[in-house]
Amino acid sequence: MTTRKILALLVLCLLTAASAVAQGNRLANEANEAYRKGFYFNAIELYKKAYTVEKKAATKAELIFMVAESYRMIGDAPQAQVWYEKAIKAQFTDPVVYFWAGEMQKQQGKYADAIANYNKYKEKKSNDPRADAGIAACQNAQKWKDSPTRYAVDPEVLLNTPQWDFSPAFSDKKNETVVFTSSRPAATGDGADDITGDSFTDLFTSTRDRLGKWSEPVKLPLEINSEGNEGAPIFNSKRTIMYFTRCPNENKQVLGCDIWMSKKVGNNFSAPVMLKLKPDAGKEDSLNIGHPALTPEDDFLVFASNVPFPGNKGGRDLYKVALNKDGMPTGQPTNLGADINTAKDDLFPFVRFDGNLYYSTNGLAGMGGMDMFVAEKKADGMWTAPENLKSPLNSPGDDFAIVFDGENDRGFFTSNRAGGKGQDDIWRFNMPNLEFALQGNVYDKVTGMPIQGAKVSVLGTNGSNFSALTDENGGFSFIESGKDRYIKEETSYSILAEKEGYLVVKDQITTVGVKESTTFVKEYFLEPVLNTVIKLPQILYDVDQFFLRPEAKDSLEVLYTTLTDNPNITIELRSHTDARPTRKYKGGNKELSQLRAQSVVNYMIEKGIASDRMVPVGMGPDEPVIAMDVIKKMATTEEKEAAHQKNRRTDFKVLRTDYVPKEN
């Protein structure tokens, strides 16, 4: 089903092609009249019968096209596409048939096929911007489908039937009871709706238990449900007043829709009264008002209408009108403006607790049929330009009538997408919690072997503090804590990996700003502390100089971090030179390397490291990485210089692991 059912449901869309069908064909005339009145279901059968008796090929093509148009008007995109394609084969002359064929394919998610038909239409009607708009919409829709938002959606199976079920509203303060629209067999009224061929719609109610199971839906009393169509309910914040749309059915005529109000006392509803919103309140057959919504303070009613109130943008627009303390409208309706309303149909408003406006439209680029949008509330009480809710809330089909469960990021909406029970179905949605985890392994940096029994501690900015010991494979994991998660959203964590006999390793992770569930995987390599020479990044000096160059200070950040992360160690800081003699120092390379080691110690003291934690030792050329006789055999000067540079280095050894800082 389509949203067109509910607003009468978007009646009397006159199409010039209908008048082109031969007037001499009695069945064609009856079909045209049914189409003009909005009785699309009847029109389909009449056009098909007219086709079987028509002789002229051109007129037969027109009749086929009108069958497609009628299917489109009741929201049956697959059948509409079939008949548009038949019209193309029958050589229907108006190239618009390619455009509508593309639109129907778009509503089924057949984006590549739709683009092909848009391009055919563009070739014949290059001045019509709708072709380029359709192509762009298909391209965007495919991107949204390939990269959906985090919302999860599922059909609300216990509320749905093979008929039309749509537009739920919460009717109790706990949001455990809903009132929704349905054309299921239990609905009031005999016969079938000439628009859709199905039963007229009524309002039903259902309550879910603590396990989330819905009770068998029960029809609201006859005071509410009439022989015509009722739908699209909304309740005030106290759940004492219900507004809904009623479209009467009298003498096989499509009559205008209006918003009605009923007061609720306990489980009983008062006889409803019609809100006098139309300029001349009555049953004008082409003017419709419906789809009520309320602002959080219950001081404004938002609704959809094709009544030509001031500011009308075309099609069905959204308006708002002030309500008095009794919930009745006062003053004139105000159009929500060009930021919200389009030249097409803007329907099914819902105002969330924060004042943001949700609604559906086919006048903005979307994924197929009606798409849902959100517009943020502005200081002046109006709303900003809307944003598409994208996939999976939107789909290639019609998506509309979203309602939120209080301040929670969950609720219901209506869709005729694949996966439901029938026509329009009620779907639930929620924003799943982001799930984060931390896992990894700890290894010996020298041997590369896993370390069993290493302690990995994690401290969060949210106050959490937890730890684990690594297993025989050096593995650790923080995934779940009972039903809870260790790693939370919007939190930063400090990580410490440690084991007796090794230098600790510190690390950090953060989930701040992370929008996807993530498992952080880490590998930590611990340095053995005793009898091990620990390398440092290259520390550069000028030739025959011992003072630190600026870039050398950057390299020493590793040493500084090691000493601060391991406050109980003392070290022997060793400076090495290459084997070439120095000309400046009487003590030779030994003296030069001692001065260089001392310059590092002095720099660490400036940064706050206690002097008694560091013993500077000048190693001179005694422990080369590359022996001098090997260097001499190298072919080029560049190779020899690189080898000498490797020998000029600074490293350290841990002397003790029981250092206790002095009080001062």
Side-chain angles (χ1 to χ4, degrees), residues 150 241 374:
R150 288 182 46 235
I241 297 177
V374 59

Side-chain angles (χ1 to χ4, degrees), residues 503-615:
L503 297 179
V504 304
V505 171
K506 288 186 176 181
D507 192 15
Q508 290 185 334
I509 60 171
T510 184
T511 61
V512 176
V514 180
K515 302 302 181 184
E516 295 182 356
S517 296
T518 304
T519 297
F520 297 91
V521 180
K522 295 288 187 176
E523 289 186 328
Y524 297 121
F525 293 87
L526 306 188
E527 292 266 14
V529 294
L530 297 177
N531 303 315
T532 303
V533 175
I534 301 173
K535 297 178 181 178
L536 291 172
Q538 190 177 46
I539 301 173
L540 299 177
Y541 301 88
D542 289 331
V543 177
D544 270 2
Q545 299 293 334
F546 62 85
F547 56 84
L548 294 174
R549 291 166 56 175
E551 56 266 41
K553 295 180 180 180
D554 293 338
S555 299
L556 286 172
E557 285 302 309
V558 173
L559 177 60
Y560 176 74
T561 299
T562 300
L563 290 169
T564 53
D565 288 350
N566 298 270
N568 296 319
I569 66 170
T570 61
I571 66 169
E572 179 182 88
L573 198 141
R574 309 170 352 133
S575 182
H576 303 260
T577 66
D578 60 46
R580 293 175 296 183
T582 175
R583 302 175 181 176
K584 189 172 182 179
Y585 301 95
K586 294 181 179 179
N589 282 328
K590 281 281 189 179
E591 181 182 355
L592 174 60
S593 61
Q594 183 68 36
L595 291 171
R596 286 178 174 175
Q598 187 63 53
S599 70
V600 173
V601 169
N602 293 342
Y603 179 69
M604 289 292 107
I605 293 172
E606 290 177 9
K607 289 179 68 67
I609 302 300
S611 60
D612 58 349
R613 294 184 62 195
M614 300 170 288
V615 178

Side-chain angles (χ1 to χ4, degrees), residues 241-310:
I241 297 177
M242 178 179 71
Y243 299 86
F244 63 97
T245 306
R246 174 177 285 176
C247 306
N249 173 50
E250 297 179 10
N251 301 321
K252 289 289 184 177
Q253 295 182 35
V254 176
L255 301 175
C257 301
D258 291 280
I259 294 174
W260 293 64
M261 182 188 80
S262 173
K263 294 187 177 180
K264 181 183 177 186
V265 180
N267 294 323
N268 299 316
F269 289 89
S270 67
V273 296
M274 186 180 73
L275 304 189
K276 296 181 179 180
L277 292 169
K278 293 176 182 175
D280 296 312
K283 299 178 180 178
E284 295 87 344
D285 63 357
S286 63
L287 299 181
N288 300 288
I289 290 179
H291 303 178
L294 293 167
T295 52
E297 297 78 19
D298 298 326
D299 53 351
F300 280 92
L301 179 77
V302 181
F303 61 91
S305 179
N306 67 346
V307 174
F309 293 116

Side-chain angles (χ1 to χ4, degrees), residues 356-374:
N356 289 345
L357 172 68
Y358 293 77
Y359 70 106
S360 293
T361 181
N362 57 8
L364 298 171
M367 296 189 68
M370 299 287 290
D371 267 24
M372 297 183 291
F373 289 77
V374 59

Side-chain angles (χ1 to χ4, degrees), residues 5 23 58 69 91 98 202 260 295 428 433 482 507 515 657:
K5 180 172 177 68
Q23 298 300 308
E69 289 286 89
Q91 298 183 338
Y98 291 104
D202 277 349
W260 293 64
T295 52
R428 65 178 179 269
N433 292 328
D507 192 15
K515 302 302 181 184
T657 60

Side-chain angles (χ1 to χ4, degrees), residues 177-251:
T177 300
V178 295
V179 172
F180 64 98
T181 317
S182 181
S183 65
R184 63 191 61 203
T188 304
D190 297 325
D193 188 334
D194 290 324
I195 298 174
T196 65
D198 204 0
S199 300
F200 293 96
T201 58
D202 277 349
L203 295 179
F204 289 76
T205 184
S206 178
T207 300
R208 59 186 169 191
D209 61 22
R210 288 178 294 178
L211 299 177
K213 182 179 180 181
W214 292 101
S215 64
E216 182 68 25
V218 176
K219 183 172 57 177
L220 293 190
L222 290 176
E223 288 87 357
I224 302 300
N225 289 314
S226 71
E227 296 288 325
N229 288 297
E230 280 78 33
I234 193 70
F235 288 79
N236 65 348
S237 58
K238 293 181 179 180
R239 306 297 195 260
T240 57
I241 297 177
M242 178 179 71
Y243 299 86
F244 63 97
T245 306
R246 174 177 285 176
C247 306
N249 173 50
E250 297 179 10
N251 301 321

